[in-house]
Amino acid sequence: MTDAIMNSKPDTAEIRRPSPGGERLKKRYAAERRFRLYGLCSILAAGLMLVFLVGSIVGTGWSAFLQTYVKLSITFDAEYLDPAGTGDPAQLQNADYGGLMKKNLRDNFPEVTGRSDKRKLYNFVSPNAGYVLRDMVIADPALVGKTLDLWVKASDDIDMLTKGYVDRTEAEDNRRVSNAELAWYDKLDNADRVETRFNTDFFVNADSREPEEAGILGAVTGSLLTLLITLLLSFPVGVMAAIYLEEFAPKNRWTDLIEVNINNLAAVPSIVFGLLGLAMFLNFFGFPRSAPLVGGMVLALMTLPTIIIAARSALKAVPPSIREAALGLGASPLQVVTHHVLPLAMPGILTGTIIGMAQALGETAPLLMIGMIAFIVDIPGGFTDPATVLPVQIYLWADSPERAFVERTSAAIMVLLAFLIFMNFVAVLLRRKFERRW
Amino acid sequence: MSKTSGSSASGTTPKMKGDKVKVFYGEKQALQDVDLEIKPNEVTALIGPSGCGKSTFLRCLNRMNDVIDICRVEGKITLDNEDIYSSDLDPVQLRARVGMVFQKPNPFPKSIYDNIAYGPRIHGTASSKAEIDEIVETSLTKAGLWEEVKDRLMEPGTGLSGGQQQRLCIARAIAVNPEVILMDEPCSALDPIATAKIEELIDELRENFTIVIVTHSMQQAARVSQRTAFFHLGELVEVGDTEQIFTNPTDSRTQGYITGRFG
């Protein structure tokens, strides 16, 4: 190291000619190299963080896209389904499928005798397995009385066992899965009766108390409905406010005051908007609680300053010479804006809007205030139905004690990130399209 | 270039007339009592050192100063004996009659065709595609640009060279068929060859339009104008036939400026 410096010194002095600036020049280059190194380091650090973040989320969450099924021999016992043999659909609809499932489990594991062991056995498959049987019977009443080998969804604990999240070396008391359950599982596994499949239910179900039944679609629908309201309210209002302030409003103390306030609003913590929404939309106007309508309105309030600020700077960036050219031709001020300034500012406005929308998509706090944290098991069908949104769903699942919700939390984060990436992609496409036209 | 027309036109009624025009930017007075007649089918050059108010006066003629909040205009400016600052006259209508070409070429970021067609479209002077096509062709021909761009009318106007862009802006102004065209240093951003072309064009346009041009180049004023007005420190010092101003100015300040002693 020191050798290298010693050797390079006379060398560089010769090339650069001996002058008082030579040493300083070397220092300047060194400073520049150092600066570049700092920059490179910070980018690497940021990149590593990102890789770590995405890696940990994907690493935890990918298994949520798989679900364990066990193959059981199921007898559609007529005694449970249709003891009178009427074949009446109403009877088939209301039959005791839970009991049927339990009986089949007992039949599949005849060695289980104790009461508590039996109760454990009933928890071996998803509590919803009975409803699956019901749907099968209603679709095909001829099944009554037959015996079939069926793949039945396993419960969350068994699912965790398959995915390797249960440590068999732990003491039994510290395990969610008892030795008896391990034995049943191994028996099925050895007979090739355990299988993991793609977890379609995660994408088509709404939330559930049972991790293996819980899905993301309810939250996704809620988020989309909420964002639609937000976009419909904040985009036109924000763009018009920006156009008025930038192009038409006189520059005086009042418009200065408005400008300062808009900038301040952009920095207001989002939960304050939630409180405002609670006080105004719910308590004063009496809008429905937990509804995408109100959620969208609250998020629109939150997004407005972002859109106004972005739109104003996009309008400011349009060269004044374009306005003069149009005015000089006899265009009215409105024509100047709609024909020339607005189309030129559109890419910037759209970028700002999408940033605002992405912010709104990830927002949790204000929605908690208006009741969107409720546990909703139905997929919302409209703007006034109770709903939840993706970030709130993530929050709810992260708060759940079941081990299986851990991977679902990460999976939901992946879905949220996918939506954000998709939105940014759309923003880029829209910008490209508008820029090509001009 | 004919210098004789200057004196022959002196008897005709003015196209535009400024009467005791005062302009204030906030508290600061930029123009003091300017009385100036613009004669029809002539090129009137406004010359003077920077900040003397010549551009300010030019922008009063089509009320472009209205856009500036703090700007206030007093006095009277008439177009064909009609007060352009009266409340009966809409500034938008006025600007259709008094067109403008700016210092820096500022074509719209649209096609060459759309640049020319914009004015006729918003004023409704042409409705059918054929009519607009014709206006585009005649305007570009008058601006001496048709031969250069006729094969690429749908290409963006911003892709042309500086001189071509400025001629495009002139064609765009002509397309509305104004009575007066105001030019605010139209050649200051152009090279000598492009400047020569524009000057030639200005001379041709004089047949159909009244032109007022602000210029920093005294040679340009001498080459293209029939009448010249010399502004200094917000005052109109002297106005007269270009030949007289450049050969025999009455005011010592004019003499000082044109001989290059200040400015």
Side-chain angles (χ1 to χ4, degrees):
Chain A
M1 183 71 189
T2 42
D3 269 358
I5 291 171
M6 297 292 257
N7 289 342
S8 67
K9 243 181 188 172
D11 220 327
T12 47
E14 269 165 44
I15 296 167
R16 291 195 191 114
R17 290 204 185 100
S19 77
E23 197 59 32
R24 298 181 72 186
L25 200 61
K26 241 167 76 183
K27 270 189 184 164
R28 245 160 54 188
Y29 280 125
E32 192 174 320
R33 270 196 303 277
R34 264 203 315 278
F35 186 78
R36 283 189 190 188
L37 193 69
Y38 296 152
L40 202 64
C41 285
S42 49
I43 286 180
L44 275 178
L48 270 177
M49 286 292 180
L50 187 68
V51 167
F52 180 73
L53 177 76
V54 172
S56 82
I57 288 171
V58 174
T60 326
W62 71 271
S63 52
F65 298 123
L66 297 174
Q67 170 64 42
T68 306
Y69 283 76
V70 290
K71 197 179 198 180
L72 298 175
S73 120
I74 302 288
T75 307
F76 291 92
D77 202 330
E79 216 174 290
Y80 280 88
L81 300 179
D82 192 11
T86 54
D88 180 12
Q91 165 62 32
L92 290 179
Q93 178 82 36
N94 297 321
D96 180 12
Y97 288 95
L100 176 73
M101 193 67 224
K102 284 176 183 168
K103 176 171 185 302
N104 276 302
L105 279 168
R106 287 197 300 273
D107 293 349
N108 272 279
F109 297 95
E111 68 273 23
V112 180
T113 47
R115 252 182 100 82
S116 68
D117 273 358
K118 273 186 187 164
R119 203 174 299 134
K120 272 188 194 135
L121 182 63
Y122 299 153
N123 282 332
F124 198 79
V125 297
S126 164
N128 282 32
Y131 299 112
V132 177
L133 298 186
R134 183 187 67 188
D135 292 344
M136 288 177 71
V137 172
I138 287 167
D140 180 14
L143 282 176
V144 177
K146 287 189 182 155
T147 302
L148 292 173
D149 266 3
L150 282 182
W151 287 101
V152 180
K153 196 191 268 187
S155 72
D156 54 323
D157 288 336
I158 301 304
D159 189 37
M160 290 296 103
L161 179 65
T162 324
K163 288 170 181 170
Y165 293 124
V166 175
D167 185 1
R168 284 169 186 256
T169 56
E170 281 269 356
E172 189 180 5
D173 288 348
N174 295 344
R175 253 192 272 127
R176 286 281 296 169
V177 184
S178 67
N179 287 341
E181 285 170 299
L182 281 179
W184 305 329
Y185 175 82
D186 291 340
K187 184 182 145 195
L188 285 176
D189 201 14
N190 290 336
D192 274 338
R193 283 175 164 251
V194 178
E195 180 180 284
T196 52
R197 296 185 187 172
F198 183 69
N199 189 1
T200 344
D201 285 343
F202 182 72
F203 293 99
V204 299
N205 283 1
D207 199 7
S208 167
R209 294 269 180 237
E210 309 298 334
E212 69 274 11
E213 289 297 325
I216 200 81
L217 189 63
V220 168
T221 316
S223 269
L224 289 181
L225 292 173
T226 308
L227 274 193
L228 190 65
I229 293 280
T230 307
L231 183 68
L232 288 179
L233 285 177
S234 61
F235 183 68
V237 174
V239 172
M240 285 208 231
I243 289 174
Y244 178 74
L245 286 172
E246 204 52 51
E247 303 286 329
F248 295 101
K251 303 274 173 290
N252 58 27
R253 207 180 305 166
W254 290 110
T255 44
D256 283 350
L257 189 71
I258 290 173
E259 181 164 0
V260 168
N261 273 302
I262 288 172
N263 290 340
N264 282 343
L265 277 178
V268 166
S270 54
I271 197 154
V272 176
F273 288 106
L275 285 170
L276 176 73
L278 172 65
M280 210 166 85
F281 300 138
L282 297 189
N283 292 348
F284 187 75
F285 289 115
F287 288 145
R289 240 155 254 273
S290 310
L293 175 70
V294 182
M297 287 161 84
V298 168
L299 291 180
L301 289 180
M302 199 199 74
T303 318
L304 262 177
T306 314
I307 294 183
I308 294 177
I309 291 170
R312 284 189 74 173
S313 60
L315 290 169
K316 257 194 204 118
V318 175
S321 65
I322 297 295
R323 294 184 183 85
E324 283 194 327
L327 278 176
L329 278 176
S332 69
L334 184 64
Q335 285 172 325
V336 172
V337 169
T338 52
H339 295 168
H340 299 286
V341 179
L342 195 56
L344 285 175
M346 222 13 140
I349 294 178
L350 284 179
T351 311
T353 306
I354 302 236
I355 289 173
M357 287 295 120
Q359 215 181 342
L361 177 64
E363 200 53 72
T364 327
L367 300 179
L368 304 186
M369 289 289 118
I370 54 151
M372 286 189 97
I373 190 160
F375 171 74
I376 314 265
V377 290
D378 289 320
I379 293 163
F383 294 109
T384 50
D385 288 355
T388 190
V389 292
L390 271 169
V392 174
Q393 186 71 77
I394 292 167
Y395 173 74
L396 283 171
W397 283 350
D399 218 23
S400 301
E402 285 90 347
R403 178 67 182 76
F405 273 126
V406 174
E407 58 175 29
R408 275 165 178 78
T409 307
S410 290
I413 292 172
M414 281 195 261
V415 172
L416 182 62
L417 286 179
F419 269 100
L420 288 174
I421 291 169
F422 173 74
M423 280 170 76
N424 281 317
F425 181 68
V426 169
V428 170
L429 280 188
L430 280 175
R431 289 188 64 154
R432 283 252 179 87
K433 187 169 172 264
F434 273 94
E435 272 168 1
R436 205 176 293 152
R437 261 182 59 194
W438 288 89
Chain B
M1 267 146 247
S2 64
K3 297 280 160 55
T4 48
S5 59
S7 48
S8 70
S10 58
T12 54
T13 51
K15 184 73 189 168
M16 295 192 83
K17 191 164 178 289
D19 191 8
K20 299 237 177 316
V21 179
K22 298 187 197 70
V23 178
F24 302 86
Y25 290 113
E27 292 299 303
K28 194 178 156 286
Q29 187 165 8
L31 275 187
Q32 301 165 13
D33 294 327
V34 173
D35 296 315
L36 183 63
E37 292 184 354
I38 313 285
K39 307 227 159 127
N41 297 87
E42 271 193 1
V43 177
T44 306
L46 311 182
I47 60 168
S50 296
C52 67
K54 53 194 188 309
S55 287
T56 300
F57 181 74
L58 189 79
R59 293 169 69 96
C60 288
L61 296 178
N62 69 344
R63 294 185 60 174
M64 281 299 277
N65 283 334
D66 289 15
V67 187
I68 303 164
D69 276 339
I70 54 164
C71 182
R72 188 157 50 87
V73 180
E74 281 176 15
K76 194 176 169 190
I77 299 174
T78 57
L79 170 65
D80 289 337
N81 287 324
E82 205 181 334
D83 186 357
I84 64 168
Y85 278 88
S86 81
S87 50
D88 307 335
L89 199 85
D90 179 40
V92 169
Q93 287 302 310
L94 172 71
R95 291 186 199 125
R97 292 171 65 188
V98 183
M100 191 154 188
V101 175
F102 297 85
Q103 183 172 359
K104 238 184 86 197
N106 54 357
F108 299 129
K110 300 184 182 194
S111 70
I112 295 169
Y113 183 93
D114 285 336
N115 261 284
I116 309 289
Y118 182 68
R121 274 184 190 143
I122 58 169
H123 293 298
T125 46
S127 43
S128 71
K129 172 95 172 68
E131 275 178 307
I132 293 178
D133 281 350
E134 199 192 316
I135 289 177
V136 169
E137 184 175 343
T138 51
S139 305
L140 284 171
T141 311
K142 276 190 210 162
L145 199 58
W146 177 251
E147 286 302 320
E148 291 163 58
V149 300
K150 63 180 177 190
D151 299 323
R152 44 175 176 150
L153 288 176
M154 288 308 149
E155 279 172 37
T158 42
L160 298 172
S161 75
Q164 288 176 324
Q165 286 191 18
Q166 195 61 299
R167 278 183 281 152
L168 177 65
C169 292
I170 294 174
R172 184 176 65 185
I174 298 172
V176 186
N177 264 321
E179 298 159 38
V180 182
I181 301 177
L182 311 176
M183 297 186 177
D184 192 354
E185 299 180 42
C187 301
S188 66
L190 305 180
D191 64 72
I193 294 168
T195 303
K197 278 192 180 162
I198 304 264
E199 286 180 3
E200 209 175 299
L201 172 61
I202 291 171
D203 201 50
E204 285 164 18
L205 292 175
R206 185 160 62 88
E207 243 180 80
N208 301 311
F209 306 95
T210 304
I211 294 169
V212 185
I213 179 171
V214 164
T215 175
H216 265 125
S217 152
M218 279 171 286
Q219 291 87 339
Q220 185 170 64
R223 281 194 299 264
V224 301
S225 71
Q226 283 71 53
R227 274 162 63 84
T228 299
F230 173 63
F231 283 74
H232 184 52
L233 298 174
E235 258 180 88
L236 175 62
V237 175
E238 190 172 354
V239 57
D241 289 348
T242 300
E243 207 168 60
Q244 178 248 314
I245 293 278
F246 279 94
T247 54
N248 188 19
T250 50
D251 196 289
S252 62
R253 286 172 291 175
T254 317
Q255 177 137 34
Y257 182 69
I258 60 170
T259 53
R261 254 181 286 141
F262 70 90

